[in-house]
Structure formats: C-alpha cells, structure tokens
C-alpha cells in the first residue's frame, strides 16, 4: 500500500496511513488553550502521543488559528527548539511546524526530520533554500495569506481545482528552489482560507487531489471549525474543539481509505485505530486480509536509530 500513498524520501515507510500527533507549544491554540505551553509538559505530551500510536509528532510554537497574530522569531525559537531536542533524543520522529527558515534550521539541528510549513514556503523567502540545503522532507500546504485575515480570502469557483492549481505552483517553486520532488508532501490546508463547505468538498475530492498532484498527501482536519459545523447541524452551537475528536477520527479513517499518506491529529488513539481499520479494508479489497501494520503498542517509544528510520 506504500506505493498507493507515496514514498517520502528521508522518512520511515509505513504500510498504512501514518498518524502525526500535534504538540502545540503555544498559549493560544484553538484546540487546547495552551495546555502544553510549558516545555516539560510539551515533551511529556509528545511522548504520550507516541505511546498512544503516533508515528511522528509535529511541534509548533506559533498559533495559526483564524485571527491569530504572529509571535516574534526569538520567542518561537524559545518555545520550539528545546521540545524538538528532547523528543528527538527520546527516539520520536519529529516534525517542526513553522513558517520561519531560522526556526526550521535550528529545529533540524536539534533533531527534526521534517519541516511542515503552512505557508508552503511563501511566508519566508529563505525557507525553501534552507530546507533544500538541509535535505529534509517538506510539507507544502495550500495557503493564501496570514491567519489574521485569511477568512477574507475564502473565495473559490471550484475549490478542488483551484487548490490543485495553487498547490502545484507551490510545489513547482519548491522544486525550482532545490527541494527534491521525492521529499515533498502536499496538504490541502483545511480551514485555511476555507469555509466549512470548502473543507468538505476537499475531503470529497481527496482522490482527485492525489491523482492531480501525484504527491503524498497530509490531511489535517483535527478539531477544526468545519467539524463543529457538521456536528451542530442546522440548530445549536458547535461543540468546543476538544469535543470533536470522534469526528476527527472519522475523517482520519476516510482520509486513510482515500490513500492519504498521513493524518495530523491532536488525540491519537482513535485515529490510530481508524487508519488500522482502513488498512484492513484495503487488504480485504486486495484479497488478502493482513494485520494493520506498525502502529506502536502503548509504552513503546522507539530507541534512536531503531530499524526502519532513515
């Protein structure tokens, strides 16, 4: 099934959709309200996510919720780099969630093996050259501008076609800047300059996104506003972010069945189960039901240099 999902050079090769756990080292995240802002707590949380089944953990120090203001570079570095260093030293596969080249460079030096840039390299002109020089994989997300005003940019005639075209242009810029194509992952940017209807259309169009972009696909739906709208229905207020984990797991199973390379989630356990079930269904469709792959059992943070990690 790895051929279906795409191989990302420089990362482990999972036989199913991978699960990326989120570690927000921020005081103002929409999803957890600063619960992991303390560095020690953030490290513990990251290891807990791995033990719950996360294949990699994504560490970020700057909120990108709608309306969020940016933090300065020094503060982002202070938040992120020590957490990356501790998690990597404990054997976790660590991604850094940043739009700044300097943060990416220092996080890579501390042990991060993937850069997840929600701007797709657009926010900082030094980002693509920095990632190219480091030779690490790069997540290119669909992005139309900073969080402070991105809701005003949510205008599409055909959201799937336009996201494909804009992502393709971002991938082309990254490759032209020296990042190897086989190291690029694409993310449709659910919730970023999108309405709930746009997000649902993109989920319905995952097969088209994969086919047209021909790159491994990261789906980051966890706890987002569109899930709150779906759960609220025609009446009532959307449930708070931390009450959207069951809906997130449903999206994770759908995304895995549609061939996503990874899902990015705040609560790992249910999504880890969801991708395993999706893998079992794939096996049944192929005529050979097999175990659902390498989701780690609880208490099994791998040692540094464990087999399969490149």
């Amino acid at each position: 099934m790895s051929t279906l999902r795409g191989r990302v050079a420089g990362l482990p090769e999972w036989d199913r959709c991978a699960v990326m756990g989120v570690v927000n080292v921020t005081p103002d995240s929409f999803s957890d309200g600063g619960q992991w802002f303390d560095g020690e707590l953030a490290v513990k949380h990251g290891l807990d996510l791995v033990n719950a089944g996360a294949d990699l953990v994504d560490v970020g120090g700057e909120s990108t919720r709608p309306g969020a203001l940016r933090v300065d570079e020094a503060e982002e570095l202070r938040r992120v780099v020590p957490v990356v260093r501790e998690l990597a030293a404990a054997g976790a596969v660590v991604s850094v969630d940043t739009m700044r080249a300097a943060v990416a460079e220092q996080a890579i030096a501390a042990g991060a093996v993937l850069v997840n840039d929600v701007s797709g390299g657009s926010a900082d002109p030094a980002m693509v050259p920095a990632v190219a020089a480091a030779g690490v994989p790069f997540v290119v997300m669909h992005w139309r501008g900073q969080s402070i005003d991105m809701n005003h940019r949510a205008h599409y005639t055909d959201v799937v076609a336009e996201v494909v075209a804009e992502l393709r242009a971002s991938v082309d810029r990254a490759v032209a800047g020296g990042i190897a194509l086989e190291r690029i992952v694409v993310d449709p940017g659910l919730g970023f300059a999108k309405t709930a209807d746009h997000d649902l259309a993109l989920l319905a169009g995952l097969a088209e996104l994969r086919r047209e972009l021909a790159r491994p696909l990261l789906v980051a739906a966890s706890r987002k506003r569109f899930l709150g709208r779906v759960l609220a229905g025609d009446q009532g207020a959307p449930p708070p972010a931390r009450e959207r984990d069951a809906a997130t797991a449903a999206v994770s199973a759908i995304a895995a069945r549609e061939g996503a390379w990874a899902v990015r989630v705040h609560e790992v356990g249910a999504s880890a189960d969801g991708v395993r079930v999706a893998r079992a269904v794939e096996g049944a469709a192929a005529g050979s039901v097999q175990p659902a792959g390498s989701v780690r059992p609880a208490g099994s943070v791998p040692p540094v240099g464990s087999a399969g990690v490149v």
Side-chain angles (χ1 to χ4, degrees):
M1 293 299 169
S2 60
T3 301
L4 171 70
R5 303 185 191 288
R7 175 82 169 91
V8 182
L11 292 178
E13 188 170 8
W14 297 282
D15 68 348
R16 49 156 175 77
C17 178
V19 178
M20 175 186 283
V22 179
V23 180
N24 288 319
V25 195
T26 59
D28 56 347
S29 168
F30 84 95
S31 64
D32 53 40
Q35 191 172 1
W36 317 114
F37 186 44
D38 176 82
E40 290 186 9
L41 291 178
V43 171
K44 181 182 184 302
H45 180 56
L47 296 178
D48 287 344
L49 291 174
V50 173
N51 288 332
D55 300 290
L56 60 168
V57 289
D58 192 39
V59 179
E62 182 175 37
S63 175
T64 51
R65 60 179 171 75
L69 298 173
R70 301 207 66 185
V71 300
D72 64 41
E73 182 178 294
E75 175 62 12
E76 188 181 356
L77 286 165
R78 185 194 68 78
R79 296 175 182 182
V80 166
V81 174
V83 175
V84 169
R85 181 178 296 111
E86 291 296 323
L87 287 171
V93 180
V94 182
S95 167
V96 60
D97 175 6
T98 184
M99 292 185 282
R100 288 189 170 101
V103 176
E105 289 172 328
Q106 293 198 36
I108 292 165
V113 296
L114 171 68
V115 175
N116 180 16
D117 181 354
V118 300
S119 80
S122 297
D124 183 345
M127 177 65 88
V128 167
V131 173
V136 299
F138 188 51
V139 177
V140 175
M141 196 192 81
H142 178 262
W143 187 79
R144 284 185 165 182
Q146 296 289 350
S147 297
I148 188 66
D149 63 354
M150 66 181 176
N151 286 343
H152 299 300
R153 306 171 191 266
H155 301 288
Y156 304 87
T157 300
D158 181 334
V159 67
V160 175
E162 290 172 58
V163 167
V164 165
E166 291 169 31
L167 269 176
R168 185 179 288 127
S170 294
V171 170
D172 289 346
R173 285 194 297 271
V175 171
I179 300 176
L181 182 62
E182 61 268 22
R183 295 185 184 274
I184 293 178
V185 175
V186 293
D187 178 345
L190 300 178
F192 287 80
K194 317 283 191 310
T195 66
D197 287 343
H198 294 146
D199 291 331
L200 291 168
L202 287 165
L203 286 176
L206 288 179
E208 182 177 349
L209 287 165
R210 287 182 49 252
R211 181 177 66 252
E212 294 297 325
L213 293 165
R215 297 307 311 140
L217 184 65
L218 173 65
V219 175
S222 185
R223 298 179 175 177
K224 288 188 174 176
R225 289 175 300 166
F226 80 96
L227 294 178
R229 300 281 176 82
V230 169
L231 297 176
D234 294 331
Q235 298 180 350
R242 276 181 276 186
E243 294 179 17
R244 303 172 194 168
D245 288 331
T248 297
V251 174
S252 294
I254 292 168
R257 188 72 179 101
E258 290 295 329
W261 169 75
V263 290
R264 181 181 184 273
V265 299
H266 297 87
E267 193 282 318
V268 164
S271 285
D273 288 347
V275 303
R276 293 173 71 187
V277 170
R279 174 65 181 90
V281 172
E282 289 173 359
S288 59
V289 179
Q290 299 176 353
S294 56
V295 173
R296 299 187 193 98
S300 62
V301 177
V304 177
S306 57
V309 178
V310 289

